Amino acid sequence: CPELIQSGAILTCSKGEVAGPSLAEHAMALLLAISRNVAVMVKAGSWNKKICQERGAIELMGMTMGIVGFGGSGQLLARMALGFQMKVIALGRTARASTIEGVDSVWGRERLDELLELSDVVAICAPGTADTRHMFDAAAFKKMKTSAILVNIGRGDIVSDEALIHALQKGEIAGAGLDVLEQEPPPEDSPLWQMNNVVLTAHTAGSSPNRNERNRKTFAENFGRFM
């Protein structure tokens, strides 16, 4: 919106406050669908314990979640992960103190590789910018644990679809829960549709019947402060 940019008006954003709760819940839903084999059982369409026994369930307690992007949704997701007794490490644009009890500090972007190496779950909650585009490329996936799960409720172009598919096919990571993709929707012949270790949702993580009310409440409170 060039007119806004040229107007000199100050732009603020509270998207993390109004959409954050549904985004964080959706991230946990994607993770649990993979870790507890919910998705593969639904796909099977039958009472088949053998599928779960062959794949093995994953217990989140004691695991480390690395959260990339620590705004409203990232902070809410951290609280949920801590509730599952996971350890949480967080990454922002720059290093800063953390306001979330249980998260020691927020690391700067320069420590991304360290976060990837340490995390059992990597959750992307970052905005889509020139700096974050293809942050997750072939080199990034090679730094992750082969047992790691990727969850993306941020922006699709943060992850290279091609690099992600390759990493999943080659076993460089164990699975992915994706609400956003670089190409939406993915092509009908995309391997992602057939992978049992992948859960896809159609960019719906921000949907909530409570979102508009939070928008109105936030605007009214801020307008009162302005006046």
Side-chain angles (χ1 to χ4, degrees):
C1 184
E3 294 82 5
L4 179 59
I5 294 171
Q6 293 162 12
S7 71
I10 296 171
L11 175 67
T12 65
C13 178
S14 59
K15 185 178 180 182
E17 294 298 320
V18 297
S22 52
L23 290 168
E25 288 182 9
H26 201 92
M28 287 304 301
L30 291 170
L31 175 56
L32 290 166
I34 296 170
S35 66
R36 304 307 305 174
N37 291 315
V38 175
V40 75
M41 288 297 293
V42 170
K43 268 186 191 177
S46 62
W47 188 272
N48 191 340
K49 290 186 179 181
K50 188 177 180 182
I51 296 175
C52 287
Q53 290 166 347
E54 288 174 348
R55 288 176 55 81
I58 297 169
E59 193 172 90
L60 299 180
M61 185 169 65
M63 285 190 163
T64 296
M65 177 184 285
I67 301 177
V68 178
F70 210 56
S73 57
Q75 291 174 34
L76 286 167
L77 178 57
R79 289 191 174 98
M80 292 178 188
L82 291 166
F84 276 79
Q85 298 184 50
M86 299 179 77
K87 179 183 176 183
V88 175
I89 52 180
L91 189 95
R93 283 191 295 269
T94 56
R96 65 182 190 270
S98 169
T99 58
I100 306 297
E101 185 178 353
V103 181
D104 294 336
S105 63
V106 182
W107 296 352
R109 171 76 183 270
E110 69 281 357
R111 295 182 71 178
L112 173 63
D113 288 355
E114 188 178 351
L115 179 143
L116 297 180
E117 290 166 1
L118 292 172
S119 299
D120 300 296
V121 177
V122 176
I124 301 173
C125 302
T129 68
D131 289 335
T132 61
R133 187 176 189 278
H134 283 191
M135 178 189 288
F136 283 76
D137 55 10
F141 287 118
K142 284 182 170 63
K143 292 181 175 71
M144 290 173 63
K145 296 181 180 181
T146 56
S147 58
I149 297 170
L150 179 76
V151 175
N152 190 4
I153 48 90
R155 284 289 177 259
D157 65 358
I158 295 174
V159 178
S160 162
D161 285 355
E162 181 181 1
L164 171 62
I165 290 169
H166 181 271
L168 289 163
Q169 289 175 330
K170 298 299 181 181
E172 293 175 354
I173 63 172
L178 309 166
D179 184 58
V180 290
L181 289 163
E182 187 175 17
Q183 182 178 346
E184 295 181 2
E188 290 184 6
D189 61 351
S190 171
L192 293 172
W193 293 116
Q194 306 304 324
M195 292 180 177
N196 282 333
N197 57 346
V198 173
V199 179
L200 297 175
T201 53
H203 205 144
T204 57
S207 300
S208 169
N210 302 322
R211 183 170 174 174
N212 284 342
E213 181 56 34
R214 282 196 292 267
N215 272 327
R216 286 191 289 270
K217 183 179 178 183
T218 301
F219 175 81
E221 288 176 353
N222 283 333
F223 187 69
R225 292 185 183 102
F226 175 76
M227 293 302 291

